[in-house]
Amino acid sequence: MEEANQTGMIHFHFRPFSRLPEVQVLIFVTFLGMYLVSISGNLSISLTIWMNRCLHTPMYFFLANLAALEVFYSSTIAPLTLASVMSTESTLISLPGCGTQMFFFIFLGSADCILLAVMAYDRFVAICHPLRYTLIMSWRVCVQLAVGSLVLGFALALQLTVLIFRLPFCSSKEISLFYCDVLPVMRLACADTHVHEVTLFVVSVIVLTIPSLLITLSYVFIVAAILKIRSAEGRHKAFSTCSSHLTVVLLQYGCTSVIYLCPSSRYSPDRGQVVSVVYTFVTPVLNPLIYSMRNRELKGALKRAMMRFLVLYPPPQ
């Protein structure tokens, strides 16, 4: 059994969404559409911010990084899921392949959550300490915070993935999701996983609980500062810069907390399937829509970029 793990002869396969070909085709078209919208939307935001000097501020720097993370995050899950949905037979994934997908999923997902906390801190400094904003949020600090999010996500993902894939697996098994997530893979192990479950909980606290507490604390101070603004226009402008970020935070943290902060004994594969679709396909689609619709500067920059593109590359008559 251990020899099979070491030689990479273990293969997993994903549970199909449905046994009906018509339903599978519908799911494929839906997922493909969401994936393409996610990639195009997040790439558009990233490139628009990069090309417009007026958007070269800390807030948009972090937003561009978040959009880039969403592109890679979606691409970690979607291509293999689409291939699995359209396959007439069970799509097999090797032990190293499953480990690689899990590593990048944890790495990018963790960095995403930590970066959202960094963005909340940026809004806190901008609203509560506006006169010291440029001093506190210098470009050096911004780069350090962005790189720190990646480094912490990388370290946590590497530790958790190595720990899980040192477990012995009995034989080829069915993963109860459409990708290699921690809990479904852990359930296929032929050994005691108590230490691994505790490690997963600790990682979840670091990635979800601590950042969410920091975000909550930041917004307590932000709301208190906004309420002190006398003009209604000033309050509206301050709220509008935070509302899009807060909406994304609620989506991201709400879904992931349901899965990773609950006791593993209460994990339900059916509920995990539904919630996983939300934070792997739906959330990456909604993020660029939320930010572009609720942010006037970004919305205007995207419109100007689209107009320039149409002028340079007009549609054929």
Side-chain angles (χ1 to χ4, degrees), residues 201 203-215 253 257 261:
F201 181 75
V203 170
S204 301
V205 168
I206 295 171
V207 172
L208 296 173
T209 306
I210 295 176
S212 64
L213 290 175
L214 293 174
I215 292 170
Y253 281 85
S257 297
L261 290 179

Side-chain angles (χ1 to χ4, degrees), residues 38 45 70 77 106 115 128 147 162 174-175 187 210 248 316:
S38 168
I45 287 178
E70 292 286 2
I77 305 297
I106 300 170
L115 190 59
C128 298
V147 172
V162 170
E174 181 182 77
I175 297 174
R187 286 192 161 198
I210 295 176
V248 171

Side-chain angles (χ1 to χ4, degrees), residues 66 69-70 73 105-120 149-150 152-153 156 203-215 245 248-249 251-257 260 279 283 287:
L66 183 69
L69 275 176
E70 292 286 2
Y73 177 77
F105 171 73
I106 300 170
F107 165 40
L108 297 169
S110 300
D112 196 308
C113 290
I114 297 165
L115 190 59
L116 285 171
V118 170
M119 293 172 74
S149 301
L150 293 172
L152 182 56
L156 293 173
V203 170
S204 301
V205 168
I206 295 171
V207 172
L208 296 173
T209 306
I210 295 176
S212 64
L213 290 175
L214 293 174
I215 292 170
H245 173 260
V248 171
V249 165
L251 278 171
Q252 183 80 0
Y253 281 85
C255 292
T256 50
S257 297
Y260 299 107
Y279 65 73
T283 302
N287 287 358

Side-chain angles (χ1 to χ4, degrees), residues 97-237:
C98 191
T100 301
Q101 187 186 51
M102 183 184 291
F103 166 76
F104 280 104
F105 171 73
I106 300 170
F107 165 40
L108 297 169
S110 300
D112 196 308
C113 290
I114 297 165
L115 190 59
L116 285 171
V118 170
M119 293 172 74
Y121 173 72
D122 171 68
R123 291 298 83 208
F124 160 73
V125 176
I127 293 173
C128 298
H129 303 283
L131 298 180
R132 299 173 57 199
Y133 179 67
T134 54
L135 180 65
I136 296 173
M137 298 303 294
S138 64
W139 281 113
R140 181 181 178 181
V141 171
C142 291
V143 171
Q144 287 175 343
L145 289 170
V147 172
S149 301
L150 293 172
V151 171
L152 182 56
F154 181 90
L156 293 173
L158 185 62
Q159 179 186 9
L160 189 57
T161 306
V162 170
L163 187 65
I164 288 173
F165 281 90
R166 290 179 64 184
L167 285 166
F169 297 96
C170 300
S171 59
S172 297
K173 293 288 186 177
E174 181 182 77
I175 297 174
S176 61
L177 277 183
F178 50 92
Y179 64 96
C180 292
D181 198 6
V182 181
L183 285 171
V185 172
M186 203 187 300
R187 286 192 161 198
L188 304 181
C190 297
D192 179 43
T193 59
H194 178 71
V195 174
H196 304 76
E197 291 171 10
V198 172
T199 305
L200 174 61
F201 181 75
V202 171
V203 170
S204 301
V205 168
I206 295 171
V207 172
L208 296 173
T209 306
I210 295 176
S212 64
L213 290 175
L214 293 174
I215 292 170
T216 302
L217 187 62
S218 297
Y219 273 102
V220 167
F221 286 108
I222 287 170
V223 171
I226 290 174
L227 293 176
K228 293 178 182 178
I229 299 174
R230 294 183 179 180
S231 67
E233 184 180 351
R235 287 196 299 270
H236 176 74
K237 184 177 180 181

